[in-house]
Amino acid sequence: MALRPNVTTTFEVDKVIQPIYTGGDVDIDYEGQILVACIGEDALLTDLSSGQTLARIEGDGEVLTTLLITPSASHVITCSRSLSMRIYFLEPANDNSRLLNPILQRTLKPHTTPVITGAVDRTGTLLATGGADGVVKVWDIRGGYVSHTFRGHAGVISALHFFEASISDPDTEVSARNKSMSERPKSDREDVDMINAPAGDNDSVAYRLASGSEDGKIRIWDLEKRKAIATLDSHVSVVRSLCFSPEQNALVSGSRDKTAIVWDARNWKSRRVIPVLESIEGVCFLKEGMLVCTGGESNVVRVWESATGREITEEQAAEGEDQGIIQLLHNPSLDFVLSVHTNQNLLLHSLTALSELESGGIIDPLPLLRRISGTHDEIIDLAYVTANRELLALATNSEDIRLVSLASEDIGLNSPSTNHYFGADVALLQGHEDIIICLDVDWSGCWLATGAKDNMARLWRIDHPNKSYGGFAIFSGHAESLGAISFPNQPPPVGSAAHSEPLAHPPPFLITGSQDRTIKKWETVPKNAVKGERRTPRALFTRKAHDKDINAIVINYSSTLFASASQDRTVKIWSVEEGEVQGVLRGHRRGVWSVKFAAKDTPPISGDSGPASSSRGLVLTGSGDKTVKIWSLTDYSCLRTLEGHTNSVLKVLWMPLPQQNKDSESDVPRQHHNRKIQIATAGGDGLVKIWDAQTGECDTTLDNHTDRVWALASNPVDNTLVSGGGDSVVTFWKDTTSATIAASSEAATQRVEQEQMLQNYVHAGRYREAITLALQLNYPGKLLSLFTNVVNTSPPEAGSLSGVREVDEVLRTLGDEQLFTLLLRLRDWNTNARTAPVAQKILWILVKSYPAGRLAGLRGKGRGRGVGEVFDGLKAYTERHYKRMEELVGESYLVDFVLREMEVGGFVGEDVGREVLGEGVQDVIMV
């Protein structure tokens, strides 16, 4: 019988979908290509076009309060609650990728209180910071010094904005103003400040800084004269946003007093007060200052005419404070407005409709170009959807389902508005009124079922080629939250209409389980329904199933049985047709969180008590008692219990069976796959484990989550495993077992060849090649044997330090890594009295061959492994050996004295004395 090869299951992280924004400040560069956002204490730079993470800037342990990027994306500025401000220079990576390397240039303490807001001028050379102390400071970014300090605000600085205002020549301005005021009627003089006149030839540009505070006042600072030239006090609440239009020579301010005010930069009087009637958090100019865009607590983006204050977007329903807008970002070069929301979503709104706006017209709300989920919150469940498994459906502790793209290639990298890259949000399925707890997908991937805390289940139709994602049916009847839902997984017959056109044929039924401890079987389409008619689905049967909450439901491969798992520590097997209990699985000591039927062709496995038949099938369960159990449906007995998780097992999964007819690059991986039956489990300990169902041993443990792992799914096409957890991270695990086995086999073959080559070198006396290869293979025993033979060479070659000139040459030409490895070996050999002479000899040769500076600069690959530690070890044992030799020499004098005295007394002959003293006499005779 052939021995079973020792193979190891390996998985590696292939791709990761992780948070890019978790709250705080957000900024973009002038071209709208780089997004910089707060991730708790860190800052993350993301390519808006491809979703690629360009760089991550680690924080100082405190939450960031201000985050900015210069228009040219040359610098990033971070301010935290630790009162520190850091300026980073963004250096492009050396390779051809778009990755950036943040280099810390300066760490400063800008204010005595945390920095609340900041602004960078259009040239990227000046930085303004506003603190909770009411002080505004202007910094030179490259120089790192303060150029201006402005005081005057009575409260926290809440908004800052650099701009360049057009002002008239003072003499010309005064004469023109006097002349115009004297010649015009009074009514015209009252409206003169409302006229938007273009800048004249005598106008000049003045560099200004506008600052707003929580007292509602706005101050305009002249950077040249270093003083405030105007104080605008029309607002009665916190000023949250400021923006300037050079075309209109006007400043707009948005406040939480529910108004936006347009100010004339010539005389700093109010041109227009826009009654927005909602608390404003962001404001900006659009279309060369002709329009004003606002966003606030109602969570909608609205557009107004700056001259008349008329809203040009149709009325939109408010969505509540929990989803309000906290920031608006826009640059004149961009064709979109980026809105930042309290639920960590970033929305890109198209501005193309504004180009077709007619005078006095009304337009629809700005179209949504793209949705970016800053974080997916706690991922409760997930599933592959669409026929080609191109999308991933996520239940993210909210009332919506997010469809995420799994595109393998980046498409349309020239525009940040594209969403075809890996991890991009494709659609949002809205309809539930409370958090979605469970979901399931049918065999085709075109139908998705969800259950939520609103006591309802919904059926969704996923038509990805036509970009259609909508609700199909609502199942209402449970008295409490739905915790489990399942589709039949048996595909219809090949060639049937349901198989060829799955979008037109929803699954025939689904089963739900609830906290009301009942299960219901629903018909998705009533049998007597007319084609195209929408009718309310009804429950085919309702059963009182368990004594506690139902956590999971799954239907077997033939759609004849289904299993329900509950907090009452039992799993029940039911008939799909009648809804009658067929068996009960008892054995878990805590509630059962997950249950799965084995696939149709799963081979039988051996239980703890011997071989067991799986003709009726196998069931896998995971429980809060930290164990996984495999059950036989023949007698409903437990075949095997798997232990290894340190917390509740939340999800279990049978890994897809290997394709028997699929050719492999090597025989070893194919044999391995034909033999292994594997299961995957996810637990509250944040780990994913892969088990061998035959032996019950854990093949490998996958660790990439920092919180409990709720969701687990596999791609039947390529065996990719995907896990989602409470840390908002989705990890895609690639099965690298075949590659690992092939690499191990190749490495083993190469090692055997090298060992044979080493033996050949030793046999042929080719010490140079032998020593080099022994160092490369890390064979200390072979190396010691070689050096022992060299040192004991008799007679030694003339002029050689070691005894063989060839070995001297090898020792003189070692690389740093080889030299350090050899010193480690010498240290080990020096600890043994029998091998110490060889070690001392080689060490003496190395000291003679290399300068002290090179030896002192050697370092190993491991952290903290310096040559100093090696020499300390050599020194300790060398001193011990010399002490032992000195003691032996001293004892030899005593022996010599005793023998001499014995010769004088006639007790021994001279031959005995010579023998003891090593003078060539062979026998010792005691008289």
Side-chain angles (χ1 to χ4, degrees):
M1 182 177 178
L3 292 176
R4 180 175 179 177
N6 184 18
V7 293
T8 303
T9 300
T10 58
F11 279 78
E12 293 180 357
V13 176
D14 184 26
K15 298 177 180 178
V16 176
I17 300 176
Q18 57 188 354
I20 64 170
Y21 171 63
T22 57
D25 269 1
V26 175
D27 202 5
I28 55 176
D29 66 332
Y30 186 78
E31 296 180 354
Q33 294 290 332
I34 299 178
L35 173 78
V36 56
C38 295
I39 300 288
E41 304 167 0
D42 302 339
L44 194 71
L45 280 74
T46 306
D47 188 339
L48 271 180
S49 300
S50 64
Q52 179 186 11
T53 298
L54 302 179
R56 189 182 187 99
I57 300 175
E58 294 186 1
D60 57 5
E62 295 288 343
V63 177
L64 294 180
T65 57
T66 302
L67 182 62
L68 299 166
I69 186 171
T70 57
S72 62
S74 61
H75 292 79
V76 167
I77 299 95
T78 65
C79 301
S80 72
R81 290 189 180 274
S82 64
L83 307 184
S84 68
M85 179 174 70
R86 296 183 177 183
I87 301 176
Y88 294 87
F89 173 71
L90 299 181
E91 180 184 54
N94 295 328
D95 52 13
N96 296 327
S97 64
R98 297 199 61 196
L99 298 180
L100 300 173
N101 180 27
I103 300 175
L104 179 61
Q105 287 190 324
R106 287 178 178 84
T107 300
L108 307 168
K109 184 179 180 181
H111 295 264
T112 57
T113 58
V115 175
I116 304 301
T117 186
V120 178
D121 76 326
R122 67 176 183 85
T123 64
T125 58
L126 296 180
L127 165 69
T129 58
D133 53 4
V135 177
V136 177
K137 293 185 179 182
V138 180
W139 304 76
D140 185 288
I141 294 178
R142 290 175 174 81
Y145 57 86
V146 178
S147 60
H148 301 74
T149 300
F150 299 123
R151 293 181 174 85
H153 284 289
V156 176
I157 306 299
S158 56
L160 291 170
H161 186 71
F162 283 102
F163 62 94
E164 300 170 14
S166 298
I167 60 173
S168 302
D169 181 77
D171 297 334
T172 308
E173 183 179 2
V174 171
S175 60
R177 183 182 303 170
N178 294 337
K179 181 178 179 181
S180 62
M181 290 299 175
S182 60
E183 294 179 356
R184 292 184 181 182
K186 180 178 180 181
S187 60
D188 291 345
R189 293 199 301 268
E190 292 176 352
D191 295 335
V192 68
D193 292 332
M194 301 294 294
I195 299 175
N196 183 22
D201 296 336
N202 294 325
D203 289 356
S204 59
V205 176
Y207 295 93
R208 303 282 192 255
L209 173 64
S211 61
S213 69
E214 65 176 5
D215 60 4
K217 293 184 179 180
I218 303 171
R219 281 180 165 80
I220 310 300
W221 308 92
D222 189 323
L223 297 183
E224 183 179 357
K225 297 179 180 179
R226 300 175 179 268
K227 65 177 183 179
I229 60 173
T231 300
L232 318 178
D233 56 358
S234 295
H235 286 296
V236 295
S237 187
V238 181
V239 178
R240 289 292 297 128
S241 183
L242 298 166
C243 186
F244 185 79
S245 170
E247 295 84 3
Q248 304 298 322
N249 201 25
L251 179 76
V252 62
S253 59
S255 170
R256 288 180 179 170
D257 62 4
K258 303 183 180 182
T259 64
I261 302 178
V262 181
W263 306 88
D264 192 328
R266 296 180 182 275
N267 52 28
W268 296 114
K269 292 184 179 181
S270 171
R271 286 187 184 177
R272 177 65 60 186
V273 177
I274 302 175
V276 181
L277 303 181
E278 66 166 319
S279 180
I280 299 176
E281 298 294 327
V283 65
C284 62
F285 276 114
L286 302 175
K287 203 177 178 181
E288 297 182 346
M290 301 295 293
L291 303 174
V292 173
C293 181
T294 62
E297 62 182 358
S298 65
N299 200 41
V300 295
V301 175
R302 305 163 70 182
V303 182
W304 314 75
E305 288 183 347
S306 59
T308 63
R310 182 180 66 91
E311 185 176 4
I312 66 171
T313 49
E314 292 186 351
E315 185 177 355
Q316 306 169 62
E319 299 183 12
E321 295 182 0
D322 58 333
Q323 298 182 5
I325 295 175
I326 58 175
Q327 198 174 353
L328 281 183
L329 299 173
H330 175 69
N331 289 325
S333 62
L334 305 180
D335 59 354
F336 63 84
V337 172
L338 175 64
S339 60
V340 184
H341 299 251
T342 54
N343 59 359
Q344 288 88 46
N345 283 341
L346 311 177
L347 305 184
L348 274 66
H349 306 268
S350 175
L351 301 179
T352 55
L354 300 181
S355 60
E356 303 175 358
L357 178 65
E358 298 179 356
S359 178
I362 299 293
I363 62 173
D364 292 332
L366 297 181
L368 184 62
L369 278 177
R370 179 177 157 200
R371 178 188 300 272
I372 303 173
S373 296
T375 176
H376 290 300
D377 202 359
E378 188 170 4
I379 298 173
I380 300 175
D381 207 351
L382 55 79
Y384 283 96
V385 293
T386 74
N388 298 325
R389 305 303 189 261
E390 300 172 282
L391 302 178
L392 192 68
L394 301 177
T396 60
N397 199 28
S398 67
E399 61 272 16
D400 304 324
I401 290 290
R402 298 176 182 178
L403 298 183
V404 178
S405 173
L406 301 181
S408 57
E409 296 181 0
D410 297 332
I411 304 175
L413 297 183
N414 295 327
S415 174
S417 61
T418 58
N419 61 347
H420 302 291
Y421 60 85
F422 179 86
D425 290 63
V426 174
L428 196 67
L429 305 183
Q430 297 177 311
H432 282 289
E433 298 177 355
D434 209 335
I435 295 175
I436 297 173
I437 300 176
C438 54
L439 58 83
D440 192 25
V441 65
D442 75 330
W443 68 272
S444 67
C446 299
W447 296 92
L448 180 70
T450 57
K453 285 186 175 181
D454 58 4
N455 306 346
M456 293 189 295
R458 287 178 178 264
L459 180 63
W460 310 86
R461 184 174 180 270
I462 311 298
D463 186 4
H464 184 52
N466 297 319
K467 309 300 180 186
S468 174
Y469 319 95
F472 182 81
I474 301 175
F475 307 89
S476 177
H478 281 289
E480 294 188 42
S481 301
L482 270 72
I485 195 166
S486 182
F487 272 131
N489 294 318
Q490 184 180 23
V494 178
S496 63
H499 189 276
S500 58
E501 298 180 0
L503 284 170
H505 299 81
F509 67 91
L510 62 85
I511 299 177
T512 59
S514 169
Q515 288 184 359
D516 62 10
R517 306 169 189 176
T518 64
I519 55 175
K520 290 179 181 287
K521 178 182 177 182
W522 305 83
E523 58 175 358
T524 56
V525 179
K527 295 181 180 179
N528 57 352
V530 181
K531 186 176 181 180
E533 181 184 4
R534 301 292 293 273
R535 295 181 58 181
T536 303
R538 65 183 182 89
L540 299 177
F541 63 73
T542 301
R543 299 288 184 268
K544 173 69 167 59
H546 291 273
D547 297 331
K548 291 185 178 181
D549 298 352
I550 298 174
N551 294 328
I553 285 180
V554 64
I555 302 174
N556 74 340
Y557 58 86
S558 61
S559 299
T560 58
L561 300 173
F562 72 91
S564 61
S566 170
Q567 284 295 110
D568 63 6
R569 300 177 292 180
T570 65
V571 176
K572 292 186 178 181
I573 309 299
W574 307 74
S575 64
V576 170
E577 197 65 30
E578 297 86 9
E580 300 296 333
V581 176
Q582 305 297 305
V584 181
L585 310 181
R586 293 186 174 91
H588 283 295
R589 300 186 302 274
R590 294 285 183 88
V592 184
W593 283 102
S594 182
V595 59
K596 288 290 182 182
F597 283 101
K600 178 180 180 181
D601 299 325
T602 302
I605 66 172
S606 297
D608 294 333
S609 59
S613 172
S614 61
S615 58
R616 292 195 60 189
L618 300 171
V619 173
L620 181 67
T621 59
S623 167
D625 61 9
K626 310 175 189 178
T627 65
V628 179
K629 291 181 180 291
I630 302 176
W631 309 79
S632 172
L633 291 180
T634 302
D635 55 1
Y636 304 105
S637 63
C638 178
L639 299 179
R640 191 173 295 281
T641 300
L642 313 179
E643 298 181 355
H645 282 284
T646 59
N647 208 323
S648 300
V649 179
L650 303 175
K651 206 76 170 182
V652 296
L653 184 71
W654 293 92
M655 297 296 290
L657 292 175
Q659 300 294 328
Q660 300 291 336
N661 58 350
K662 185 176 180 180
D663 292 335
S664 172
E665 295 180 359
S666 64
D667 291 337
V668 175
R670 182 168 63 251
Q671 293 171 2
H672 165 67
H673 285 312
N674 288 342
R675 183 178 60 257
K676 284 271 190 177
I677 303 173
Q678 293 180 318
I679 59 178
T681 61
D685 52 11
L687 302 177
V688 176
K689 290 181 178 288
I690 309 297
W691 307 79
D692 187 340
Q694 291 283 10
T695 64
E697 296 179 356
C698 179
D699 284 342
T700 185
T701 299
L702 314 180
D703 185 7
N704 193 50
H705 293 274
T706 58
D707 204 342
R708 62 185 64 190
V709 181
W710 286 105
L712 197 63
S714 64
N715 190 332
V717 178
D718 56 6
N719 206 32
T720 298
L721 193 66
V722 57
S723 59
D727 55 0
S728 187
V729 173
V730 180
T731 306
F732 294 81
W733 304 92
K734 182 180 179 181
D735 187 355
T736 58
T737 303
S738 298
T740 301
I741 295 174
S744 300
S745 178
E746 182 180 355
T749 302
Q750 184 180 4
R751 197 168 188 85
V752 170
E753 294 175 353
Q754 290 175 334
E755 289 177 356
Q756 183 60 49
M757 191 181 302
L758 178 60
Q759 294 290 347
N760 296 339
Y761 287 151
V762 173
H763 183 73
R766 299 170 61 179
Y767 293 113
R768 180 186 186 90
E769 292 84 354
I771 292 174
T772 303
L773 188 55
L775 283 171
Q776 178 183 344
L777 295 177
N778 194 19
Y779 281 180
K782 293 287 186 182
L783 197 59
L784 176 60
S785 177
L786 285 170
F787 283 132
T788 302
N789 294 336
V790 170
V791 171
N792 295 331
T793 300
S794 180
E797 297 181 4
S800 172
L801 298 176
S802 63
V804 179
R805 292 196 189 95
E806 194 175 14
V807 174
D808 293 349
E809 182 63 25
V810 173
L811 294 177
R812 279 195 296 266
T813 58
L814 295 176
D816 287 350
E817 184 178 346
Q818 292 177 324
L819 189 56
F820 188 83
T821 302
L822 181 55
L823 286 173
L824 289 175
R825 300 292 165 255
L826 295 178
R827 180 195 63 183
D828 297 338
W829 300 338
N830 194 49
T831 60
N832 193 316
R834 288 176 296 178
T835 57
V838 177
Q840 290 292 329
K841 183 73 172 182
I842 302 302
L843 178 62
W844 174 71
I845 296 172
L846 295 179
V847 173
K848 296 276 289 185
S849 303
Y850 294 96
R854 181 176 177 185
L855 293 177
L858 296 176
R859 291 195 64 83
K861 291 183 178 179
R863 180 178 295 181
R865 295 183 61 187
V867 74
E869 297 180 4
V870 179
F871 283 129
D872 288 341
L874 283 167
K875 178 183 176 183
Y877 277 92
T878 299
E879 290 176 348
R880 184 179 302 179
H881 294 320
Y882 274 107
K883 182 178 180 181
R884 179 172 54 85
M885 292 176 64
E886 291 175 354
E887 292 175 352
L888 288 175
V889 171
E891 292 174 357
S892 68
Y893 290 131
L894 177 60
V895 174
D896 180 50
F897 171 76
V898 171
L899 290 176
R900 296 297 181 188
E901 291 298 320
M902 293 175 70
E903 290 177 5
V904 173
F907 294 102
V908 298
E910 294 183 2
D911 291 342
V912 176
R914 285 195 294 267
E915 167 63 20
V916 175
L917 295 176
E919 297 182 4
V921 179
Q922 298 300 320
D923 299 325
V924 177
I925 300 174
M926 301 297 295
V927 179

